[in-house]
Every structure is written in C-alpha cells, then in structure tokens.
Amino acid sequence: MTNLSAEMPASGPIIRGFGAQGFRINEEYYSGGIILTPSDAIAWDVPDTISMNDAPLMDALKQVRPEFLLLGTGAKLLRPAAKFTRAIEAMDIGIEVMDSRAAARAWSMLRLEERQIVGAIMPLG
C-alpha cells in the first residue's frame, strides 16, 4: 500500500494510503472504490459505466454542490462518456478526470485548501 501523508491536518476524510484493491481513509480501510465529500467517505460499488444513474454519486453531488467532481479512473486515465461529462457540467459542476493515484494525491491537497469538492475514486486493480 502506498502511504500518503499531509503536512498539516485537514478536516474531513483524508486519503492516507492506497493499494490495488482499496484505500485507507483516515484510519479506516475501504475495499473497492470510494466517494468522498468534505465530511464523509462512502464505500462505492463502482458501476461498469459511470452515469447519472449512479445513486451514491448523484446523492453526494446534490448534497455538497461542489466546485467540481474529482474522478479517479483506476490505474489509467480513462475519459468518461461525453454524455456524462455534459450532464455534470449542466449541474454547474466542473469535472477533473485523472488516474486514481493522481486523484488520491489531489484530493488530500485540495482538502488542505478547504476546497468544496466531491471525489469518486476507483481502485487501481
């Protein structure tokens, strides 16, 4: 498992480490994907195709009304369907897509800045 450490503590869930099958959020291990909000970490059963029908993801976006969605797509950067991207942007939410390693690091740095974001991060394996 790759360990991440923050220079100073941030509020809410912080990714402390990740491996092929999951993430360590604060001191708890989550197997599989995760949805992160400024206040919660939610285990995420990653669907085969990300869509607006993903209830846990849509609930997080509606609850937080974030600046943007940080989407970690696993070991490789994979663009979501254009239809999904347009639908997120129609909600007046930006979308940043990157591989999950980069997304895990970005989440922690953005939360140190107290940014209001939602993360949906797939496992590496």
Side-chain angles (χ1 to χ4, degrees):
M1 178 168 282
T2 300
N3 289 315
L4 301 175
S5 62
E7 293 176 11
M8 51 190 278
S11 62
I14 297 297
I15 300 171
R16 302 287 183 199
F18 57 86
Q21 301 304 315
F23 302 87
R24 186 166 40 94
I25 309 298
N26 297 336
E27 298 308 316
E28 189 172 342
Y29 183 78
Y30 289 77
S31 180
I34 52 170
I35 294 175
L36 299 164
T37 71
S39 61
D40 295 308
I42 303 153
W44 182 36
D45 186 16
V46 180
D48 292 334
T49 303
I50 302 230
S51 74
M52 299 303 284
N53 294 326
D54 186 322
L57 179 55
M58 293 303 107
D59 288 347
L61 292 172
K62 289 175 185 173
Q63 171 194 358
V64 175
R65 302 297 300 166
E67 297 174 49
F68 61 89
L69 168 64
L70 177 63
L71 181 61
T73 60
K76 296 181 181 179
L77 184 143
L78 301 170
R79 297 274 174 210
K83 181 179 180 179
F84 176 77
T85 300
R86 284 191 305 271
I88 294 295
E89 290 171 345
M91 295 172 67
D92 201 26
I93 298 171
I95 183 168
E96 294 291 333
V97 182
M98 54 191 72
D99 69 72
S100 291
R101 285 179 188 89
R105 289 180 177 99
W107 171 266
S108 296
M109 293 307 298
L110 291 164
R111 285 304 303 142
L112 283 171
E113 296 173 0
E114 301 283 330
R115 302 284 295 273
Q116 293 299 303
I117 58 175
V118 166
I121 308 178
M122 300 175 193
L124 299 174

